[in-house]
């Protein structure tokens, strides 16, 4: 529900400020290729086990479409990996989940600073989105054995984005920020239900106009 209110805030803010702050992208191309590496933390929940805190890393390759002066929609493909350690009967086990990640983002931006002489602008960027994950491999490593399960499945979640974007040229930009993700459906595999919650990642972005 909290993401629903965030979405309403983003849309309302874009409508209010869209007429007052012409976007730097007004003369740019409608399409942009964006590469987004990211890393952070998440909580993995599996039926029959206590929640497991761990690290996540990965990245997305996105194609962004400018809908109007203030909003853009992006989607693409990504890879996400969760790593954590848990204890089973006194033995430490390493768990690694590998996901195919398919995001869909709606974003808007607000001018922070603008230098017309250098043709450079800095934006505050806000966004919400949906995503789908496919668990294509789960690997458990113990002292004696390695267990690999490739019988994964799909699930869905919701995301939020906050960042700063630096326009360095008309068709080139860099960004830094944070992204949150939380599953709202569970992956069913081998009679177990699994989900990621409270994922927070720091990210970089490289955007190239097409």
């Amino acid at each position: 529900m909290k993401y629903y209110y965030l979405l309403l805030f983003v849309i309302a803010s874009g409508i209010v400020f869209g007429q007052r702050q012409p976007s730097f992208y007004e003369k740019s191309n409608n399409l942009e290729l964006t590469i987004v590496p990211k890393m952070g933390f998440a909580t993995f929940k599996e039926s029959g086990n206590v929640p497991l805190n761990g690290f996540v890393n990965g990245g997305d390759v996105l194609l962004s479409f400018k809908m109007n002066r203030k909003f853009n929609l992006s989607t693409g493909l990504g890879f996400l990996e969760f790593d954590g350690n848990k204890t089973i009967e006194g033995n430490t086990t390493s768990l690694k989940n590998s996901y195919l990640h398919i995001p869909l983002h709606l974003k808007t931006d607000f001018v922070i600073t603008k230098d017309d002489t250098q043709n450079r602008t800095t934006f505050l960027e806000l966004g919400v989105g949906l995503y789908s994950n496919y668990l294509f491999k789960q690997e458990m490593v113990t002292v004696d054995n390695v267990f690999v399960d490739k019988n994964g499945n799909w699930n869905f979640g919701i995301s939020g984005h906050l960042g700063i974007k630096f326009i360095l040229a008309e068709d080139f930009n860099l960004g830094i920020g944070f992204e949150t993700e939380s599953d709202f459906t569970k992956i069913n595999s081998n009679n177990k239900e699994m989900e990621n919650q409270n994922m927070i990642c720091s990210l970089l972005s490289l955007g190239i106009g097409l």
Side-chain angles (χ1 to χ4, degrees), residues 109-122:
D109 55 61
F110 306 96
V111 174
I112 299 176
T113 63
K114 187 173 184 179
D115 186 347
D116 291 328
T117 60
Q118 297 292 327
N119 202 25
R120 294 180 179 178
T121 307
T122 303

Side-chain angles (χ1 to χ4, degrees), residues 16 28 35 47 56 75 82 88 117 121 157 173 185 193 196-197:
V16 171
S28 299
I35 301 172
S47 57
V56 292
T75 187
F82 173 90
I88 302 176
T117 60
T121 307
N173 63 78
T185 65
E193 293 184 335
N196 291 319
Q197 290 191 343

Side-chain angles (χ1 to χ4, degrees), residues 5-204:
Y5 291 115
L6 178 60
L7 176 59
L8 291 180
F9 171 76
V10 171
I11 294 174
S13 299
I15 294 173
V16 171
F17 292 101
Q19 301 299 323
R20 300 179 183 176
Q21 297 176 337
S23 173
F24 181 86
Y25 296 110
E26 202 166 344
K27 296 182 180 180
S28 299
N29 295 328
N30 286 332
L31 292 178
E32 179 180 280
L33 179 67
T34 308
I35 301 172
V36 187
K38 52 190 174 183
M39 61 185 301
F41 307 91
T43 300
F44 174 71
K45 290 188 175 182
E46 183 180 55
S47 57
N49 292 308
V50 297
L52 177 63
N53 297 318
F55 299 93
V56 292
N57 65 85
D60 300 323
V61 178
L62 305 174
L63 186 64
S64 299
F65 171 73
K66 184 177 65 176
M67 301 171 63
N68 53 40
R69 291 193 309 172
K70 297 302 299 180
F71 289 98
N72 69 80
L73 191 68
S74 61
T75 187
L77 293 176
F79 171 78
L80 187 67
E81 192 171 78
F82 173 90
D83 285 286
N85 294 322
K86 61 181 180 178
T87 301
I88 302 176
E89 297 180 351
N91 297 315
T92 300
T93 301
S94 174
L95 174 69
K96 180 183 290 186
N97 291 336
S98 300
Y99 303 89
L100 172 67
H101 185 65
I102 304 178
L104 178 64
H105 296 154
L106 175 65
K107 294 182 180 179
T108 187
D109 55 61
F110 306 96
V111 174
I112 299 176
T113 63
K114 187 173 184 179
D115 186 347
D116 291 328
T117 60
Q118 297 292 327
N119 202 25
R120 294 180 179 178
T121 307
T122 303
F123 290 98
L124 173 67
E125 193 173 54
L126 298 174
V128 293
L130 300 172
Y131 64 86
S132 179
N133 283 334
Y134 178 72
L135 178 62
F136 64 85
K137 186 172 73 171
Q138 184 177 69
E139 182 177 288
M140 294 180 60
V141 180
T142 65
V143 175
D144 302 316
N145 294 292
V146 177
F147 302 94
V148 178
D149 183 10
K150 296 184 178 181
N151 298 316
N153 210 329
W154 292 92
N155 76 330
F156 300 89
I158 192 166
S159 64
H161 177 92
L162 173 65
I164 297 176
K165 180 178 287 188
F166 306 93
I167 308 301
L168 304 180
E170 184 176 355
D171 294 321
F172 181 75
N173 63 78
L174 293 174
I176 58 174
F178 294 93
E179 185 175 75
T180 65
E181 291 188 358
S182 187
D183 295 349
F184 60 72
T185 65
K186 299 177 181 180
I187 292 176
N188 294 290
S189 178
N190 296 327
N191 298 318
K192 290 186 177 182
E193 293 184 335
M194 296 171 281
E195 62 179 322
N196 291 319
Q197 290 191 343
N198 305 320
M199 190 181 90
I200 301 177
C201 287
S202 59
L203 55 86
L204 299 173

